[in-house]
Amino acid sequence: MRVVFAGTPEFAASALQALLAAGFEVPLVLTQPDRPAGRGMKLQASAVKQVALQHGIAVAQPRSLRLDGKFPEEAAAAREALLAAKADVMVVAAYGLILPQWVLDLPARGCLNIHASLLPRWRGAAPIHRAIEAGDAQTGITIMQMDAGLDTGDMLAIERLDIATADTTSSLHDRLAVLGGRMIVEALELAAAGGLRPVPQPAEGVTYAHKIEKAEAQLDWRQDAAQLERRLRAFDPFPGGLAHLDGEAIKVWRAEVAEGSGPQGQVLRVDETGITVACGQQALRLTELQRAGGKRLPAAAFLQAKPIAVGAVFAAVEVPAAAAT
């Protein structure tokens, strides 16, 4: 089976590597244009592009696939490349561009998406983050037949994965990426044998995992400690948590729920295990922090450079409403 692959970040690169390792022919890869990254802000190829180049696969990087959109020449060139690829199916994983109907219709077997949630829960851009933030006990991978809607297509395969109490988006992402790679290989092998059975998504239980915004990093001490702890894990590695003390912005990366009460944002205890701060319910012990321009440090090392006294108060900050609905 000839497979065109469309994807951009590490999650997608893992799936592409799994397809290549399984022996699928991939004549063409679509990925996002190179973006500035790092301290020097030099253009950097996506993780998927890097894998494609290592294997000598042709790469197309249109800014849009809409033939009547803002970049019609790039879309038209991508269309010619897709036609020349003569693919049986397109596999899509965290590509980052909307696929117009002409793309969905082009491969004989359509477009299959690797989505990192148990659909219809957490349709949208940030399903891993939102599952952790919401306190879900499980997530998983859904292989979906793509249609014109936002993650609304029929389900072809689904597998569950437990979310550990210590999982961050980074750690959960890596496990889901491996699972997604295995599942898409199995799905394509089943498709070749005519064994895939599409199942419509349930109408109940639909939620949307909206894109993570930097403004969400602000820690609102009026919230429950458990809610803040989940949010920190959900926002690791991006955008982290942000707290303000004595006019200084401090990144908070790890914390744990602790006993204690007091005015919201007030420091209740300080020791080598962390900085305990009163919240709307219970308290939050901050265990890994970072100053501007510095490194992520355990609380004990952080306190050596910036002592914090019991009774100090982290500033109250107005936080946007949760983006997940």
Side-chain angles (χ1 to χ4, degrees), residues 130-143:
R130 300 305 183 190
I132 293 175
E133 184 185 18
D136 290 1
Q138 287 188 321
T139 184
I141 293 289
T142 305
I143 305 297

Side-chain angles (χ1 to χ4, degrees), residues 278-290:
C279 301
Q281 285 189 20
Q282 296 186 288
L284 195 67
R285 183 181 296 117
L286 315 183
T287 60
E288 186 176 76
L289 307 94
Q290 179 182 9

Side-chain angles (χ1 to χ4, degrees), residues 52-323:
L53 294 179
Q54 289 167 9
H55 289 83
I57 301 170
V59 176
Q61 297 177 271
R63 285 174 286 181
S64 170
L65 290 167
R66 288 179 58 90
L67 296 170
D68 58 350
K70 192 175 180 181
F71 306 102
E73 292 182 358
E74 295 182 26
R79 186 173 187 274
E80 291 304 313
L82 285 166
L83 288 168
K86 295 181 169 58
D88 299 297
V89 67
M90 178 186 283
V91 171
V92 182
Y95 178 29
L97 285 186
I98 294 173
L99 301 189
Q101 194 63 46
W102 72 261
V103 177
L104 298 174
D105 294 340
L106 194 60
R109 296 181 183 270
C111 301
L112 305 191
N113 179 242
I114 308 169
H115 188 76
S117 83
L118 303 173
L119 290 172
R121 185 162 177 80
W122 304 128
R123 294 174 179 171
I128 302 175
H129 306 74
R130 300 305 183 190
I132 293 175
E133 184 185 18
D136 290 1
Q138 287 188 321
T139 184
I141 293 289
T142 305
I143 305 297
M144 177 189 67
Q145 186 80 49
M146 296 181 71
D147 60 17
L150 177 62
D151 299 328
T152 56
D154 289 348
M155 301 181 294
L156 303 172
I158 190 164
E159 277 198 35
R160 296 177 178 273
L161 188 69
D162 289 341
I163 300 177
T165 55
D167 262 330
T168 64
T169 286
S170 178
S171 64
L172 186 55
H173 163 280
D174 292 350
R175 303 208 320 274
L176 286 168
V178 172
L179 178 60
R182 174 175 65 77
M183 287 180 64
I184 193 61
V185 168
E186 293 172 354
L188 291 181
E189 289 172 345
L190 275 173
L196 280 182
R197 297 290 180 266
V199 177
Q201 293 187 34
E204 301 78 28
V206 175
T207 59
Y208 288 94
H210 296 287
K211 180 181 177 182
I212 303 297
E213 302 291 346
K214 287 184 70 173
E216 295 181 72
Q218 303 284 352
L219 295 179
D220 185 347
W221 304 106
R222 296 171 299 179
Q223 295 180 339
D224 297 350
Q227 186 177 359
L228 290 172
E229 186 273 339
R230 292 196 306 269
R231 199 165 200 177
L232 288 172
R233 290 189 289 111
F235 291 179
D236 184 356
F238 174 85
L242 191 61
H244 299 266
L245 183 66
D246 300 330
E248 180 180 354
I250 299 171
K251 275 286 186 79
V252 181
W253 290 105
R254 291 185 185 273
E256 56 195 28
V257 177
E259 294 299 322
S261 62
Q264 294 157 6
Q266 185 177 74
V267 176
L268 304 177
R269 289 185 299 279
V270 179
D271 56 35
E272 67 279 359
T273 67
I275 303 152
T276 303
V277 184
C279 301
Q281 285 189 20
Q282 296 186 288
L284 195 67
R285 183 181 296 117
L286 315 183
T287 60
E288 186 176 76
L289 307 94
Q290 179 182 9
R291 300 182 78 178
K295 298 179 180 178
R296 294 170 61 153
L297 295 172
F302 179 88
L303 288 165
Q304 289 178 1
K306 183 178 174 60
I308 295 176
V310 172
V313 179
F314 283 91
V317 177
E318 191 68 28
V319 178

Side-chain angles (χ1 to χ4, degrees), residues 1-5 16 19-20 22-28 57 85-89 188:
M1 197 183 296
R2 289 170 64 85
V3 180
V4 165
F5 188 87
L16 176 57
L19 290 170
L20 293 170
F24 285 95
E25 185 178 358
V26 183
L28 176 67
I57 301 170
K86 295 181 169 58
D88 299 297
V89 67
L188 291 181

